[in-house]
Amino acid sequence: MRPRRGFVAQPVVLTGLAGGLALLALAVASGAHLLLVVVLALILGTVTLSQARRARGEAGRLQAEVAQTHVEVAAGAVTLPYTSVLNALPDPVMVISAHEPDDLTGRRFVMVNRAGRRVLKIQREAGLLVTAIRDPDVLEVVDEALFGGLEGEAVYETGGVQERIFRVYARPLGASGDGGRLALLVLHDETDIRRVERMRADFLANASHELRTPLASLSGFIETLRGHARGDEGARDRFLGIMHVQAERMSRLIDDLMSLSRIELNEHVRPLEDVDLAAALLDVVDALAPLARDKGVALEVDAPPRGAVTITGDRDQVIQVAQNLVDNALKYSPAEGRIRILLQTDLSAEACVAPRMELAARMSLLTPDHGPERFAALSVIDSGPGMDREHLPRLTERFYRVEGQKSGEKLGTGLGLAIVKHIVNRHRGGLAVESRPGHGAVFTAYFPLARQAAEAERQLDLAPDDVIKLS
């Protein structure tokens, strides 16, 4: 509604006139001099007219601003006042526009908040909906909201190596100014809830399967010691030694399962700390050097000095990756063998998986999702028995061990490489293996450099005061 010109000035003038008449009446009643009364009335009238003129000017300015706002809204150039609120929401929010139900390529997102751009990796203000979300269930509930006026929800899994699970809510918004239809799409992250459920189920299944053998062994030895071997000191000492080994194995197994469950629970959350990868590697080498000396294995380290290689990550988990790879190499390297530990920086993803062993079978066990990032690559090259090509795809499976390498001094839980893979995946890195039977194996874990990780995040995030316009 437009304000009428003078809507502020008229009340001011009327108030002034009323005040003047009241003053005149008061003066007459009190017998004051008429000239003094007239002077006072003129002064009051002058002040009143001045205020009315100022009020009229203010009303004109407000009217001009309102008219300009109507022009900007009609042109679609006005900044929506709720954009900053939408950008502050933790859940992805999109506004979808469409005109014809039969035009399947006409569904467009015309607004997306900061969380949506980050999760869906959108760098444009508007575009086709299918370029951001291709899930049929999600597209179906969007259509129902657009053209059926119905509220709906669906489950959306992003896929990829950092899979995330969302509960999607679609709500109709009615007609738009250009005759199209609008719908609101909200994605609520349920990844943590689903991961907790999956972790509990996997933990119970794995624990019940892997603990069955050592528990049966302990039960058998206890029954024997309580029976005919009760007085046999030699048998008792031997059985107690075996029971101690089995108990330690169960303890390591529980620790590794708990560690793997914790890593998987937060695998979709990228760590944010700066980690000196060279320093972490050298700390691991110093810790494992006594074990290598006892076994007679030489550790050769080829790495930049401390402070030269910085990645974005979790230092404890990065150390766990280095320790698992080097410890694995120590287990399978023969006495008087040699382990070479190589740390390279500022490499492309292709260079990280380049051959490091001649005539070896190669396989990428984990490949980063996207991005022309630069990486730091940690390679551990052992001189062990190596593996045939057929075993490489299954190396990061839980409890998988190569036939013929399951006993003796190489006793382990079979979870080391699974832990490595999930940690590297959380860091948005990659993992590759090379192996040649009789000549050893090479495991390479590579991580995005800190400046590259920060730049990748910046590309998916605009400035705090950015806006998206409805079009």
Side-chain angles (χ1 to χ4, degrees):
M1 180 181 295
R2 295 185 178 181
R4 292 181 289 106
R5 185 175 300 275
F7 78 104
V8 176
Q10 290 174 1
V12 172
V13 173
L14 292 176
T15 302
L17 292 176
L21 292 175
L23 180 62
L24 180 61
L26 180 63
V28 172
S30 61
H33 197 278
L34 181 61
L35 180 60
L36 178 59
V37 172
V38 171
V39 170
L40 291 175
L42 288 175
I43 294 174
L44 181 58
T46 303
V47 172
T48 301
L49 290 175
S50 175
Q51 292 177 343
R53 214 177 286 117
R54 187 181 299 111
R56 190 180 299 112
E58 182 68 15
R61 185 183 65 82
L62 291 174
Q63 185 177 7
E65 289 184 359
V66 170
Q68 179 62 27
T69 301
H70 282 301
V71 172
E72 291 178 352
V73 169
V78 66
T79 298
L80 299 176
Y82 50 80
T83 302
S84 58
V85 177
L86 294 178
N87 278 332
L89 294 176
D91 289 336
V93 177
M94 306 176 76
V95 175
I96 312 300
S97 173
H99 288 79
E100 298 294 335
D102 297 332
D103 184 9
L104 299 181
T105 61
R107 280 66 163 161
R108 300 178 60 86
F109 60 88
V110 294
M111 193 286 296
V112 56
N113 69 344
R114 183 176 294 115
R117 295 194 298 274
R118 185 185 297 274
V119 170
L120 301 174
K121 300 177 177 61
I122 298 174
Q123 298 182 4
R124 294 182 296 174
E125 295 184 354
L128 295 177
L129 178 60
V130 293
T131 62
I133 301 177
R134 298 182 179 88
D135 188 272
D137 294 336
V138 176
L139 298 179
E140 182 178 352
V141 297
V142 169
D143 280 355
E144 290 177 351
L146 285 170
F147 303 108
L150 301 176
E151 299 182 355
E153 60 182 69
V155 175
Y156 172 51
E157 299 184 15
T158 60
V161 291
Q162 285 90 31
E163 182 184 50
R164 299 181 71 175
I165 303 172
F166 294 90
R167 175 73 61 176
V168 179
Y169 301 92
R171 300 291 185 266
L173 295 180
S176 61
D178 59 357
R181 308 292 297 179
L182 294 176
L184 180 70
L185 197 65
V186 180
L187 285 72
H188 180 65
D189 196 344
E190 293 186 348
T191 307
D192 289 340
I193 298 174
R194 299 298 184 94
R195 285 184 182 273
V196 168
E197 295 174 354
R198 188 180 304 168
M199 180 189 70
R200 181 173 64 249
D202 289 347
F203 181 85
L204 292 175
N206 292 322
S208 62
H209 175 73
E210 291 298 319
L211 293 177
R212 184 179 292 111
T213 299
L215 283 175
S217 177
L218 287 174
S219 178
F221 287 130
I222 291 172
E223 184 178 349
T224 302
L225 290 174
R226 295 178 63 183
H228 63 272
R230 180 189 300 270
D232 190 339
E233 294 185 2
R236 184 175 65 244
D237 292 341
R238 185 172 70 255
F239 291 163
L240 287 175
I242 297 174
M243 292 168 66
H244 179 70
V245 171
Q246 294 293 340
E248 286 185 337
R249 172 164 160 40
M250 285 193 296
S251 178
R252 290 196 307 271
L253 181 63
I254 295 296
D255 289 342
D256 284 351
L257 280 173
M258 292 299 295
S259 177
L260 183 58
S261 297
R262 286 192 296 268
I263 294 166
E264 287 183 322
L265 185 62
N266 297 315
E267 192 170 345
H268 63 288
V269 181
R270 189 170 190 167
L272 302 176
E273 303 173 12
D274 284 346
V275 178
D276 185 345
L277 183 56
L281 174 61
L282 294 176
D283 289 345
V284 169
V285 171
D286 291 341
L288 295 179
L291 180 61
R293 282 196 300 268
D294 293 343
K295 193 171 181 180
V297 176
L299 295 179
E300 299 178 2
V301 181
D302 183 1
R306 295 175 184 266
V309 182
T310 303
I311 64 172
T312 300
D314 182 313
R315 190 175 192 277
D316 291 339
Q317 291 188 350
V318 170
I319 287 177
Q320 192 172 6
V321 168
Q323 183 168 336
N324 282 8
L325 292 180
V326 177
D327 184 62
N328 213 43
L330 281 172
K331 287 179 182 178
Y332 293 101
S333 292
E336 307 303 325
R338 181 173 67 98
I339 297 175
R340 186 180 177 214
I341 303 170
L342 176 64
L343 178 59
Q344 299 171 289
T345 187
D346 200 23
L347 301 178
S348 65
E350 293 75 14
C352 291
V353 296
R356 290 171 174 81
M357 178 180 290
E358 294 182 359
L359 304 177
R362 293 188 295 134
M363 175 164 289
S364 178
L365 302 175
L366 175 67
T367 303
D369 262 345
H370 61 87
E373 298 181 83
R374 308 295 289 181
F375 297 87
L378 169 62
S379 299
V380 179
I381 307 167
D382 65 52
S383 54
M387 297 162 286
D388 291 325
R389 180 188 296 269
E390 63 196 50
H391 296 292
L392 301 187
R394 302 189 60 189
L395 289 178
T396 55
E397 292 181 12
R398 297 185 183 197
F399 309 113
Y400 181 79
R401 302 188 66 188
V402 177
E403 292 294 332
Q405 301 179 4
K406 295 186 177 180
S407 59
E409 298 178 356
K410 305 178 183 64
L411 188 64
T413 62
L415 293 173
L417 289 178
I419 291 174
V420 167
K421 178 181 178 180
H422 287 285
I423 291 177
V424 173
N425 188 30
R426 186 191 175 206
H427 287 71
R428 286 16 177 204
L431 180 65
V433 60
E434 301 174 58
S435 183
R436 182 182 173 190
H439 293 79
V442 181
F443 286 90
T444 300
Y446 51 100
F447 304 87
L449 295 175
R451 64 179 184 274
Q452 296 293 329
E455 178 65 19
E457 290 294 319
R458 191 189 70 81
Q459 292 295 331
L460 296 175
D461 195 13
L462 304 179
D465 57 350
D466 70 324
V467 295
I468 299 296
K469 303 181 182 68
L470 282 178
S471 56

